[in-house]
């Protein structure tokens, strides 16, 4: 059996992260309300994982079953895309009118670079949106952090 020809052991890929904090991600509106944000993926990386962290309690009132708070992210510059992740629920109004401080949601991300089996050759911007369903009143607007973990090669 042939043995691999190894030319010295070197460090492997490394992991780093960035955090985006959105103060007051939930606003009162008679219709659906949106708060937009952007994530910039550095060149030479893949996205390893994404976490949504409720940094300060979010509380709604006067809503209905469609008054959920969700987060989406994709490639559309108008922030309507869902290619990176779609409708991650921070607050399901049918189950509770609040999302407690400290709640964490691990996103089931579809990393575009990873999906094609290649590392991002250029810096890439993704456009996200925090969506609050219709007719909800923000009792506590809260704060939301988006933690993106990158793997560099």
């Amino acid at each position: 059996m042939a043995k691999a020809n190894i030319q010295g052991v070197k460090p492997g890929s490394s992991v780093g992260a960035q955090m985006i904090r959105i103060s007051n991600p939930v606003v009162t509106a008679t219709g659906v309300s949106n708060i937009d944000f952007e994530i910039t993926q550095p060149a030479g990386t893949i996205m390893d994982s994404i976490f949504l962290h409720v940094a300060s309690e979010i509380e709604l009132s006067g809503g209905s079953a469609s008054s959920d708070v969700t987060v989406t992210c994709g490639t559309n510059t108008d922030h309507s895309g869902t290619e990176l992740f779609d409708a991650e629920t921070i607050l399901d109004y049918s189950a509770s009118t609040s999302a407690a401080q400290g709640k964490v949601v691990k996103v089931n991300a579809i990393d575009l670079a990873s999906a094609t089996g290649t590392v991002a050759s250029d810096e890439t911007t993704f456009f996200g949106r925090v969506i609050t369903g219709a007719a909800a009143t923000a009792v506590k607007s809260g704060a939301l952090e988006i933690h993106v973990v990158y793997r560099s090669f």
Side-chain angles (χ1 to χ4, degrees):
M1 175 178 285
K3 187 174 180 180
N5 183 11
I6 299 173
Q7 297 179 346
V9 177
K10 297 180 180 181
S13 64
S14 62
V15 176
Q18 71 176 352
M19 183 265 295
I20 300 162
R21 184 179 176 97
I22 304 169
S23 298
N24 302 320
V26 175
V27 295
T28 297
T30 54
V32 173
S33 64
N34 300 321
I35 300 293
D36 296 337
F37 64 89
E38 295 180 10
I39 295 172
T40 302
Q41 177 183 357
T45 67
I46 61 169
M47 286 188 188
D48 198 64
S49 53
I50 300 172
F51 299 90
L52 306 176
H53 171 240
V54 178
S56 178
E57 182 182 17
I58 297 170
E59 184 179 355
L60 304 177
S61 69
S64 64
S66 63
S67 298
D68 299 342
V69 177
T70 58
V71 184
T72 63
C73 193
T75 58
N76 297 355
T77 56
D78 68 354
H79 299 269
S80 66
T82 58
E83 296 85 1
L84 190 58
F85 59 88
D86 181 21
E88 293 292 333
T89 302
I90 295 297
L91 190 156
D92 178 354
Y93 196 88
S94 310
S96 177
T97 59
S98 65
Q101 178 177 341
K103 177 179 182 174
V104 175
V105 174
K106 184 175 183 183
V107 171
N108 294 315
I110 304 166
D111 176 25
L112 300 179
S114 298
T116 61
T118 58
V119 173
S121 58
D122 297 315
E123 184 176 274
T124 306
T125 301
F126 293 94
F127 304 90
R129 177 170 279 168
V130 181
I131 303 165
T132 304
T137 300
V139 176
K140 293 181 182 176
S141 295
L144 179 65
E145 294 175 351
I146 301 170
H147 295 262
V148 183
V149 181
Y150 298 102
R151 184 167 296 276
S152 299
F153 290 89

